[in-house]
Amino acid sequence: ADFLLLGAIGFVAIWTSHPSVFILAGIGMMLVMDYLIKKAYAPLARILGLGFLWIFALGADYFVSLRYLTANGFLQSYWRHAFMPLQLPKLANWLNETYLSLLKTTLGFDPRFLIITCSILALIGIVRLVFRNRNIAMIILLPFGLALIASALQKYPLTDRFMLFLVPLFILLMTEGLGQIYLSARKLNRPIAVMLVGCITLLTLWMPMNSGFQKFITPPMDNDIKPVLRYVAQNRNPNDIVYVYHTARPAFAYYAASYGLDTGKVITGTDFNGMLTLQEFYSAAEQLKGNSKVWFIFSFVDCVGCEGHGEEYFIQYLDQIGRQENSFHAQGADAYLYDLNP
């Protein structure tokens, strides 16, 4: 019954969460090794059967969706910095940045003393867990190694939200380290042990919790297109053309009606892979030549093939074919009015 339950959960997990593959692979590898050591061949055969079921589910998932993601040139280029480099000079720096990114994902931000504290707790936790329960240690640690291998194969970017599945595992390691500190300190004095663990816990949790509370009260606006749309709506003439860069299209489509920008001549860029995005912008700008009032709206700008910052590259190009008459800038979003009939 346990094998059937594990198989069913794993089958569903593969279809609902891509990183679950690393967790399931860690569980499977641990069980196979444990049964081999114990020479328990009957349950070993069953776990191998589950493994084939999971592989079948992964293969079907790959055929349905993953093959399109892995073959997407734009995504490969966009996340190239998050793949593990195979060149040794770059590897150490990448590992350091990736580890700091994991800590920042776990804590919400990265003050140095908190990084040191959490790293020490996790290291103590790894050592204690390896000696206390080898099987649990494998289940927790193997997903980290498997994710690194997938990243080295250019199949899984390790950064930001792609590492969220590792956060609970990292917290478990920190908790294990905290438990070992308590057990060691309790041998000397139990009240001191409680106070020590309490201080470390408060130190570790207070700043992330306070930061989270502040963000809940005042949400950060990394990319706020609303002021830009408001400005364009207030200054746009009926015959003005609005061009929306493709990465700003979802936000524009959501808010446009609220600002009356769902009427008139509005052109939205098209999603393409790689260099085609740049070519699409050139083509759109070429077709817009001859118009004296064109608003260009940018947000979440990305550009494969652009030299330097994508938006600056586009503005330099527009300056060559037209004259900038107005502009407005907000947090993560901008609007420019050009005369393309100088």
Side-chain angles (χ1 to χ4, degrees):
D2 291 341
F3 279 98
L4 293 176
L5 180 61
L6 178 61
I9 292 175
F11 188 90
V12 173
I14 288 173
W15 283 95
T16 56
S17 172
H18 295 156
S20 66
V21 172
F22 303 121
I23 308 295
L24 294 171
I27 294 173
M29 293 172 67
M30 181 278 295
L31 290 173
V32 168
M33 185 173 296
D34 186 54
Y35 291 141
L36 283 174
I37 293 174
K38 294 177 180 178
K39 297 182 179 180
Y41 299 116
L44 175 62
R46 289 196 291 270
I47 196 61
L48 289 176
L50 289 184
F52 285 117
L53 175 66
W54 292 343
I55 291 173
F56 172 78
L58 179 61
D61 188 21
Y62 178 84
F63 180 79
V64 172
S65 64
L66 289 179
R67 61 172 176 161
Y68 300 107
L69 296 177
T70 56
N72 190 308
F74 170 74
L75 292 178
Q76 289 286 329
S77 176
Y78 186 82
W79 295 112
R80 61 187 182 278
H81 68 283
F83 294 118
M84 178 190 288
L86 299 180
Q87 301 88 354
L88 288 179
K90 298 180 180 179
L91 180 59
N93 184 59
W94 183 88
L95 289 173
N96 178 64
E97 291 182 355
T98 301
Y99 177 67
L100 293 178
S101 178
L102 173 62
L103 284 175
K104 187 173 183 179
T105 303
T106 304
L107 304 172
F109 59 110
D110 51 358
R112 183 175 297 275
F113 74 91
L114 208 54
I115 289 175
I116 296 174
T117 302
C118 294
S119 299
I120 292 174
L121 288 176
L123 183 60
I124 295 173
I126 292 173
V127 174
R128 179 172 188 253
L129 199 57
V130 168
F131 285 99
R132 186 174 69 86
N133 193 315
R134 182 190 62 216
N135 289 345
I136 294 180
M138 289 182 63
I139 291 176
I140 294 179
L141 295 176
L142 277 173
F144 289 90
L146 294 171
L148 286 173
I149 292 174
S151 181
L153 294 173
Q154 311 292 296
K155 298 301 181 184
Y156 192 86
L158 273 178
T159 186
D160 301 331
R161 64 182 181 272
F162 293 100
M163 293 196 291
L164 282 174
F165 77 99
L166 294 174
V167 170
L169 303 180
F170 191 80
I171 292 175
L172 286 175
L173 293 175
M174 290 171 54
T175 305
E176 189 74 15
L178 195 62
Q180 180 59 47
I181 291 175
Y182 172 77
L183 292 175
S184 300
R186 190 181 62 175
K187 295 177 181 179
L188 301 176
N189 186 291
R190 183 169 182 175
I192 292 179
V194 173
M195 291 179 59
L196 177 62
V197 170
C199 289
I200 295 175
T201 303
L202 183 62
L203 173 69
T204 306
L205 296 180
W206 170 249
M207 293 187 69
M209 290 178 63
N210 182 60
S211 175
F213 178 75
Q214 294 298 327
K215 290 179 180 179
F216 177 78
I217 299 299
T218 309
M221 302 297 291
D222 292 335
N223 295 78
D224 188 9
I225 199 173
K226 296 190 295 297
V228 169
L229 300 185
R230 185 183 305 114
Y231 184 84
V232 172
Q234 292 172 350
N235 292 274
R236 177 194 183 195
N237 293 321
N239 295 325
D240 289 1
I241 300 173
V242 176
Y243 174 86
V244 183
Y245 190 66
H246 77 97
T247 51
R249 185 178 59 192
F252 179 87
Y254 185 84
Y255 292 112
S258 301
Y259 297 97
L261 292 176
D262 56 335
T263 60
K265 191 168 184 180
V266 178
I267 302 172
T268 56
T270 306
D271 294 318
F272 286 110
N273 294 333
M275 293 289 292
L276 289 178
T277 300
L278 185 58
Q279 295 300 324
E280 190 272 344
F281 181 83
Y282 287 153
S283 177
E286 188 67 27
Q287 294 178 17
L288 289 171
K289 283 184 178 180
N291 294 283
S292 58
K293 299 288 183 179
V294 182
W295 291 92
F296 290 86
I297 297 177
F298 297 95
S299 184
F300 292 101
V301 175
D302 61 67
C303 178
V304 177
C306 294
E307 298 178 3
H309 188 271
E311 185 173 318
E312 294 177 357
Y313 184 84
F314 291 136
I315 297 306
Q316 291 174 5
Y317 174 75
L318 292 174
D319 287 339
Q320 295 175 7
I321 65 172
R323 182 177 65 252
Q324 185 178 139
E325 295 189 341
N326 196 356
S327 66
F328 182 83
H329 309 280
Q331 183 67 36
D334 306 282
Y336 303 87
L337 176 62
Y338 271 88
D339 179 0
L340 298 183
N341 187 29

